[in-house]
Amino acid sequence: MFRMIKKVLAGVLLIAALLSTACTKKTEETKEPALLLGFSQIGSESAWRIGNTRDIEESADKYGISLMLENANQKQENQIAAIRRFIAYKVDVIAFSPIVEEGWDNVLMEAKDAGIPVILVDRDISTEKEGLTTCLIGADFYKEGVMAGEYLIRKADSLGMEQVNIVEITGTENSTPMRQRQAGFFDAIAGDERMTVLESIDGDFLKSRGEECMRYLLKTYGDTIDVVFSHNDEMTLGALPEIEAADFAPGTDIIIISIDGGQEAIDVLKQGKINCVVECTPKLGRELMETALLLKAGEEVDKVIHPEEQIFSDETDVSQIAPRGY
Ligand code: GZL
């Protein structure tokens, strides 16, 4: 008898569990996404970009937002086409990281006419028209450039340098980070007569181009180079082996200043082969999702949202820098 009761109870519990799962599953399946967000990403050119994409995808999941993410593979025309698809699909909000600042007016006018708000992520656009975008979520690149320049002045002082010859490997020409990092760096060193920029060359934020640029700069300027200012870690990591192949010790014979703060560059900073890495966090997903939800709800949003950023350099104990996550 007791065995019979046990069997019936087990059956009842099993049916209850199956019904509960079905209900949960049904609830999950029928749970409407908070909103539909179309995001055009530049590409996968750097650890920074890959980390940015991962953070946006994880944040969309966390906020229950349905994400249509398209990778433009470094082509502006692909971003424009993606934005047009988002408009046709009638997404609630469009977001994108513009590879360059110019050339967006027509497609953003189409989004405006369709009544779809647009959020700029990471990079900015340049336009004469009002109201094409709602806000910019991204780093203060000018400040990053200033931080790099101010570090170099302190470094030159600590080494008692009387002349400082700099070569600059820039990011993608006409992109916001390239224009503003260069402006901030140049403004920071402008009053220091020791500072001379021998040449600026476009490395397009790519490791392969960083290698090519450094090979050319070493061939052209050789041992007159005192400093490499590189607009991102990818190009820096491409340049370092060229410096070593030319029998110079990066971080000692040549001061190396980089921007982004990804794990690989921080590891090289800890080895003493990079002297300074200015942080540029790719983790913008939370701000993006919260801003998209506010726009969907018809709320006002801040025009510009800058994340807090720090500097890592040989002025402090870098051995304790926590894992970077990108
Ligand atoms: C900066 C971002 C830049 C990174 C590069 O916010 O736009 O693009 O510095 C990336 O690594 O390619």
Side-chain angles (χ1 to χ4, degrees):
M1 180 59 175
F2 181 68
R3 189 175 297 167
M4 175 61 77
I5 292 171
K6 268 182 72 176
K7 274 190 174 179
V8 169
L9 188 56
V12 168
L13 288 174
L14 176 62
I15 291 166
L18 288 172
L19 281 174
S20 158
T21 307
C23 291
T24 308
K25 196 165 171 50
K26 187 92 177 80
T27 310
E28 277 169 6
E29 276 169 357
T30 55
K31 191 173 179 184
E32 283 300 306
L35 63 86
L36 178 56
L37 171 65
F39 183 79
S40 169
Q41 179 60 291
I42 289 176
S44 311
E45 74 281 1
S46 64
W48 188 99
R49 187 65 55 196
I50 292 164
N52 178 243
T53 298
R54 183 171 59 243
D55 186 67
I56 286 169
E57 289 172 335
E58 290 171 356
S59 300
D61 280 347
K62 185 178 169 188
Y63 281 81
I65 286 174
S66 179
L67 177 67
M68 290 172 70
L69 186 143
E70 293 204 21
N71 184 318
N73 295 313
Q74 313 299 118
K75 290 183 173 25
Q76 180 174 28
E77 61 267 29
N78 289 350
Q79 291 199 284
I80 291 171
I83 293 170
R84 287 200 164 108
R85 278 193 289 277
F86 298 150
I87 294 168
Y89 208 81
K90 295 184 171 41
V91 300
D92 296 301
V93 179
I94 291 171
F96 75 116
S97 177
I99 187 166
V100 293
E101 293 192 333
E102 285 78 18
W104 305 100
D105 285 3
N106 292 341
V107 72
L108 293 182
M109 276 305 295
E110 292 165 29
K112 185 175 183 180
D113 292 345
I116 301 175
V118 177
I119 300 171
L120 292 168
V121 175
D122 172 33
R123 300 186 184 180
D124 203 350
I125 62 169
S126 170
T127 178
E128 300 296 320
K129 295 188 184 302
E130 293 291 319
L132 292 183
T133 60
T134 56
C135 64
L136 166 66
I137 302 170
D140 182 344
F141 301 122
Y142 180 85
K143 184 179 172 187
E144 291 170 355
V146 169
M147 290 162 78
E150 289 176 346
Y151 164 81
L152 179 54
I153 290 169
R154 296 195 301 270
K155 185 68 175 177
D157 291 346
S158 70
L159 296 175
M161 297 175 76
E162 293 179 1
Q163 175 60 37
V164 183
N165 293 327
I166 304 156
V167 293
E168 181 190 30
I169 305 177
T170 76
T172 306
E173 191 176 10
N174 299 327
S175 69
T176 313
M178 177 266 166
R179 285 175 167 168
Q180 294 188 11
R181 285 170 179 166
Q182 183 174 71
F185 182 79
F186 278 37
D187 287 353
I189 65 173
D192 190 325
E193 291 178 0
R194 296 172 295 178
M195 304 289 167
T196 302
V197 178
L198 300 174
E199 186 167 350
S200 292
I201 184 170
D202 181 2
D204 204 16
F205 286 129
L206 298 174
K207 188 170 191 174
S208 56
R209 283 287 298 138
E211 179 185 333
E212 291 162 10
C213 292
M214 198 67 236
R215 192 177 308 133
Y216 157 78
L217 292 166
L218 286 164
K219 189 174 169 203
T220 309
Y221 302 101
D223 63 2
T224 66
I225 298 173
D226 298 311
V227 182
V228 174
F229 170 48
S230 167
H231 286 192
N232 88 327
D233 295 344
E234 228 63 34
M235 299 187 297
T236 304
L237 294 166
L240 294 184
E242 289 302 312
I243 293 172
E244 292 176 314
D247 288 331
F248 294 109
T252 307
D253 299 332
I254 299 178
I255 297 164
I256 309 294
I257 301 172
S258 188
I259 301 178
D260 274 351
Q263 191 60 55
E264 194 173 354
I266 294 299
D267 291 346
V268 175
L269 172 76
K270 291 180 178 180
Q271 296 164 15
K273 293 185 178 181
I274 295 177
N275 302 90
C276 170
V277 180
V278 178
E279 181 184 36
C280 177
T281 180
K283 297 174 182 172
L284 305 172
R286 176 178 59 80
E287 290 85 348
L288 171 56
M289 300 309 152
E290 291 177 354
T291 303
L293 288 167
L294 287 171
L295 289 171
K296 167 85 170 164
E299 304 283 340
E300 286 297 310
V301 297
D302 293 336
K303 281 293 174 206
V304 178
I305 300 171
H306 283 324
E308 284 300 313
E309 296 179 323
Q310 58 186 312
I311 186 171
F312 304 108
S313 81
D314 54 9
E315 299 165 296
T316 60
D317 174 11
V318 296
S319 64
Q320 303 308 313
I321 298 173
R324 300 291 300 147
Y326 63 99

